[in-house]
Amino acid sequence: MYTRVLHMTSTNWRRTNKEELILVDKNLLRHLAKKYPDVKSATEEIVNRNAILSLPKGTEYFFSDLHGEHEAFIHMLKSASGVIRSHIEEIFGPDLTREEREELAALVYNADAEIKRQKKNPELDFDKWCKESIMSLVLICKAVSTKYTRSKVRRRLPKEYAYIIDELLHADDEENKSNYYGKIISTIVECGIAEEFIEEMTKVISSLAVDRLHIIGDIWDRGSHPDLIMDFLMNYHDVDFQWGNHDIVWMGAATGNWACITNVLRMNISYNNFDMLEIGYGINLRPLATMAENIYGDDPCEFFKPKRLDENKFDPVDDSLASKMNKAIAICQFKVEGQLIKKHPEWNMKERLLLDKIDYKQGTIKLGGKEYPLNDTYFPTIDPKDPYKLTHEEEDVVERLKNSFLGSERLQRHIRFLYTKGSLYKVYNGNLLYHGCVPLNEDGSFMKVRIFDKTYSGKALYDILEHYARKGYYSIDPQEKQRGEDILWFIWKNKHSPVFGKERMATFERYLLMPRKRTKSQKMLTTVSLRRKRS
C-alpha cells in the first residue's frame, strides 16, 4: 500500500525536499489507515477499484446553449440522443413491431403522456399493458445498467421501490424464480401502483443511460423556463457546469449589479418571459411597468416590441406595455453600462459609449466619422449634457429591482448551485470543456488581457476571471466584492472575455440603427418631442 501511495504522489517529488515528502506520505498513510484499518479492508477496496476499472466508461452527455428550453432539454436527456432507442431496437427488434417499439420509446421519454394516451384506448386491456410494459422496462434497465457496479445502480433507485426494482433487475430463467418475478409484477398491478412504478422505472432508465451530464454554458435567456431546468439539474445525480456568458450575467444580477440586472431584464422582457421573471423568480416588475407607462404613455415604442416564443399563463402583459418596459430598461442599461465603462478605462470599451454621440436635436448619431439617423428619437429621460446619469425615478426603480433579485430565494438557490457545481472551464476524462473561446493574437499566441492592474493570458486569464467572479458573489470585503461584481459584467460582454468572443454586443444598434421604416405615429411623436426639448 505504501508503494502505491508513493507512486500516486511521484509527480510531486521534484518540487519537495526529502523531509517534506516523508511528511506528505505519512499524512496520506494516516488518512488511509483511518478508512482502511487492516489488510482485509484495504484488499477489499483494491479488488473493488480494479474491478471498476475493468468496466466500460460511463456515458457522458454534453449540452450547450439550452437557453431556457426546458421541454426540449428534458426530451433530449431522456432519449439520450438515441441511446435508448438503440437499446430497444437491439432487445426487441425481432419480437415487436415498429409501432410497438415506437410506443415503448415514447413511454421511456414521457411516461405520463404515454400512460394517459394508452388509457384512452377503449380496446386496450390496461392491466395487461402495464404488466408487459414493466417487463419491457426491466429489460431496458438491465441493458443500460451493465456499465455500473450493482452498488452504484442501487444508489440510483428510488427509495420506495429500490428493493422491488433491484430484485427484478436480477431475474433469471429458472422456473421457480420466473414465477417469483411474475408474481412481483402482477402484485404491483393489483395494488394499483403500476402507473407510478412505470414512471419511476423510466426515471431509473434515464438516470442510468447517462452517467455524467456536462452543461457547457448558457442555461438562461430567450426560452421561457430556465428556472425549471435548474430545478431539474439540482436533483440530477451527477452534473457540472462550464459557465457561458448568459449564465454569467444572471450570476452578476444575483449579486445586485445594476448593469447585469438591466441586461437580464431587457433580454427577458424582449422575449416576453414575464411568467419566469415574476412567477418563477418573484421579481417585482410593477415599479418598472409604472415608470414605463408614465414616461412613454404616448410612445408606441415600436422598435422595442417583444418576440413571442411562448405565451405567459400567469402574468400576461400586452405588447404595448411590454414595449414601453423594454425601452425603459434598455435606456437604463445604456446608462449604467456607460458608467461602468468610464469607471474602467483599462477595459478599452469607450467605443460602446454611445449616448454622448447622439445629436438629440437632429435625431442622429455619429459613429466612425459617419452620421446615421436613429429609428427612435424620443428620449425624455436622457439629459444631453449628462446622458449617462439616471433620473431619480430610474435610480429608484433600478434599486427596487436590485432588492428583488437579492431577495429571490429561488434565484439565489439556483445561483449558489451554479457556483458550487460550475466553473469557467473543466478538465474531465482528458477533455478540456469550456464555453466560448480562448483569446489569441493574430499569430496564434495567447492574448494578454488586462484585469485591473495586471495582464493575464491563457489558463491564467480564465483563473483570475473565475477568482473575481466568485468574489463578486461570496466576498464580505466591500472592495473585493465590488471588483467581482464589475468583472461579472466584463465577462458577459467584453470583446476579450473568453465566454463572449465577439467584437461587440450591438444591442443599441439592433434597437436604434437597423434600417427600418418609421410609422406615421412615430414621426409625429418625434416632432412633438423635439418641440418640447426646444421649448
Side-chain angles (χ1 to χ4, degrees):
M1 196 64 170
Y2 183 71
T3 57
R4 293 177 70 85
V5 173
L6 289 182
H7 176 70
M8 287 189 292
T9 61
S10 63
T11 55
N12 298 321
W13 285 7
R14 298 182 187 88
R15 304 172 193 168
T16 59
N17 58 42
K18 188 175 181 181
E19 291 75 16
E20 289 173 335
L21 178 61
I22 292 171
L23 179 61
V24 169
D25 289 340
K26 283 183 177 179
N27 287 335
L28 285 171
L29 289 172
R30 198 174 292 115
H31 174 74
L32 290 170
K34 290 178 181 178
K35 200 168 185 179
Y36 311 105
D38 51 45
V39 173
K40 187 176 180 180
S41 61
T43 303
E44 181 182 9
E45 183 61 18
I46 291 171
V47 170
N48 179 47
R49 293 292 174 180
N50 281 334
I52 290 172
L53 289 173
S54 70
L55 289 170
K57 187 171 75 71
T59 301
E60 296 175 48
Y61 205 171
F62 302 81
F63 278 96
S64 177
D65 298 276
L66 298 177
H67 286 300
E69 297 294 344
H70 170 253
E71 291 183 1
F73 165 64
I74 297 300
H75 178 80
M76 290 291 291
L77 185 59
K78 287 191 173 182
S79 69
S81 287
V83 171
I84 300 298
R85 189 177 293 276
S86 66
H87 280 300
I88 290 174
E89 294 294 329
E90 184 178 341
I91 298 167
F92 304 103
D95 304 315
L96 298 179
T97 66
R98 182 178 182 82
E99 183 181 354
E100 288 171 333
R101 297 197 301 273
E102 292 286 343
E103 289 180 353
L104 186 54
L107 180 63
V108 177
Y109 301 162
N110 191 338
D112 181 59
E114 185 61 18
I115 289 170
K116 288 178 180 176
R117 192 180 75 83
Q118 294 291 346
K119 289 177 79 172
K120 290 179 181 179
N121 185 355
E123 299 178 1
L124 180 73
D125 183 341
F126 186 68
D127 285 352
K128 181 182 177 182
W129 178 84
C130 286
K131 291 177 184 178
E132 292 174 350
S133 296
I134 291 172
M135 287 189 286
S136 298
L137 292 174
V138 168
L139 293 176
I140 298 171
C141 197
K142 279 185 176 182
V144 297
S145 66
T146 55
K147 293 182 178 182
Y148 312 113
T149 63
R150 193 168 175 178
S151 62
K152 187 168 185 175
V153 173
R154 284 199 198 102
R155 289 195 296 271
R156 301 276 177 91
L157 303 180
K159 290 182 180 179
E160 59 271 28
Y161 297 121
Y163 172 76
I164 298 174
I165 296 175
D166 187 53
E167 285 289 293
L168 291 173
L169 288 179
H170 297 90
D172 52 43
D173 294 328
E174 294 179 15
E175 185 177 349
N176 291 335
K177 284 292 184 74
S178 179
N179 292 333
Y180 168 67
Y181 296 122
K183 193 63 178 176
I184 290 176
I185 293 173
S186 61
T187 305
I188 289 171
V189 175
E190 290 166 9
C191 290
I193 61 170
E195 293 179 37
E196 183 179 343
F197 187 81
I198 287 171
E199 289 199 38
E200 291 299 329
M201 280 294 298
T202 61
K203 291 178 184 176
V204 172
I205 290 169
S206 296
S207 171
L208 293 172
V210 177
D211 188 35
R212 189 176 182 91
L213 185 59
H214 304 286
I215 307 295
I216 310 180
D218 286 356
I219 293 171
W220 277 273
D221 299 327
R222 299 178 193 154
S224 57
H225 281 297
D227 53 329
L228 297 183
I229 293 177
M230 287 301 297
D231 284 342
F232 178 87
L233 293 175
M234 287 183 73
N235 293 307
Y236 200 75
H237 56 266
D238 212 344
V239 62
D240 56 66
F241 302 90
Q242 290 73 58
W243 304 326
N245 60 323
H246 286 269
D247 306 315
I248 288 286
V249 73
W250 274 85
M251 291 157 64
T255 70
N257 180 275
W258 283 10
C260 293
I261 287 171
T262 52
N263 271 276
V264 161
L265 291 177
R266 178 194 55 76
M267 281 186 290
N268 285 280
I269 290 172
S270 71
Y271 279 93
N272 194 45
N273 290 334
F274 289 96
D275 272 1
M276 182 270 292
L277 289 170
E278 295 209 277
I279 307 302
Y281 284 131
I283 306 300
N284 182 12
L285 297 178
R286 186 174 294 275
L288 176 61
T290 302
M291 180 182 75
E293 190 65 66
N294 290 339
I295 295 172
Y296 301 109
D298 298 326
D299 185 352
C301 301
E302 186 169 335
F303 299 114
F304 294 84
K305 280 187 176 179
K307 308 172 187 70
R308 287 188 175 271
L309 301 184
D310 291 291
E311 293 297 328
N312 295 294
K313 296 179 181 179
F314 305 102
D315 188 28
V317 177
D318 65 77
D319 280 356
S320 175
L321 179 57
S323 300
K324 294 168 187 175
M325 293 171 70
N326 193 15
K327 183 174 180 179
I329 202 65
I331 298 301
C332 289
Q333 176 192 319
F334 300 149
K335 289 183 177 184
V336 295
E337 286 186 334
Q339 293 171 17
L340 261 183
I341 292 169
K342 288 184 173 184
K343 179 182 177 182
H344 294 285
E346 75 276 12
W347 291 351
N348 296 317
M349 295 181 70
K350 62 182 181 180
E351 77 279 359
R352 301 311 298 161
L353 292 170
L354 300 176
L355 297 184
D356 58 336
K357 308 297 188 300
I358 296 175
D359 184 328
Y360 290 90
K361 291 183 178 180
Q362 298 300 321
T364 60
I365 186 169
K366 197 169 186 178
L367 297 174
K370 293 183 179 181
E371 194 169 66
Y372 301 91
L374 296 174
N375 289 327
D376 189 327
T377 59
Y378 184 53
F379 305 117
T381 65
I382 298 178
D383 178 0
K385 295 178 181 178
D386 192 0
Y388 300 104
K389 183 179 180 181
L390 294 170
T391 66
H392 292 303
E393 188 176 11
E394 286 174 329
E395 190 169 337
D396 178 64
V397 167
V398 174
E399 186 62 25
R400 290 190 188 189
L401 291 169
K402 170 184 173 180
N403 291 335
S404 249
F405 275 84
L406 292 176
S408 173
E409 183 181 346
R410 190 180 184 207
L411 173 61
Q412 295 298 333
R413 188 166 65 247
H414 287 170
I415 296 300
R416 284 194 297 272
F417 184 72
L418 200 65
Y419 271 105
T420 302
K421 294 287 186 176
S423 54
L424 277 177
Y425 69 92
K426 186 177 185 67
V427 177
Y428 192 86
N429 274 340
N431 294 315
L432 174 61
L433 310 179
Y434 62 94
H435 179 100
C437 61
V438 179
L440 301 175
N441 297 311
E442 289 293 331
D443 62 0
S445 59
F446 289 131
M447 179 184 290
K448 291 184 178 180
V449 179
R450 186 177 175 187
I451 305 298
F452 300 121
D453 53 349
K454 293 183 180 179
T455 59
Y456 303 85
S457 62
K459 180 178 179 296
L461 176 60
Y462 276 82
D463 290 338
I464 194 64
L465 290 175
E466 183 173 329
H467 168 80
Y468 278 113
R470 295 185 183 278
K471 289 281 188 182
Y473 193 75
Y474 289 111
S475 181
I476 59 174
D477 179 275
Q479 185 177 357
E480 286 293 287
K481 179 173 173 55
Q482 188 59 62
R483 280 189 160 198
E485 287 185 28
D486 291 354
I487 216 68
L488 283 163
W489 181 81
F490 171 93
I491 300 172
W492 155 241
K493 69 190 310 181
N494 186 274
K495 63 183 178 182
H496 295 147
S497 163
V499 301
F500 183 55
K502 293 185 288 186
E503 187 65 25
R504 66 181 183 273
M505 190 175 290
T507 306
F508 182 95
E509 290 89 335
R510 284 198 304 272
Y511 282 132
L512 299 170
L513 286 186
M514 292 294 182
R516 302 173 183 172
K517 188 176 180 180
R518 290 191 295 173
T519 64
K520 185 177 180 181
S521 60
Q522 285 179 309
K523 292 177 181 177
M524 291 174 64
L525 188 63
T526 300
T527 303
V528 171
S529 66
L530 290 174
R531 286 173 181 169
R532 286 175 182 170
K533 291 177 185 297
R534 287 166 184 165
S535 61

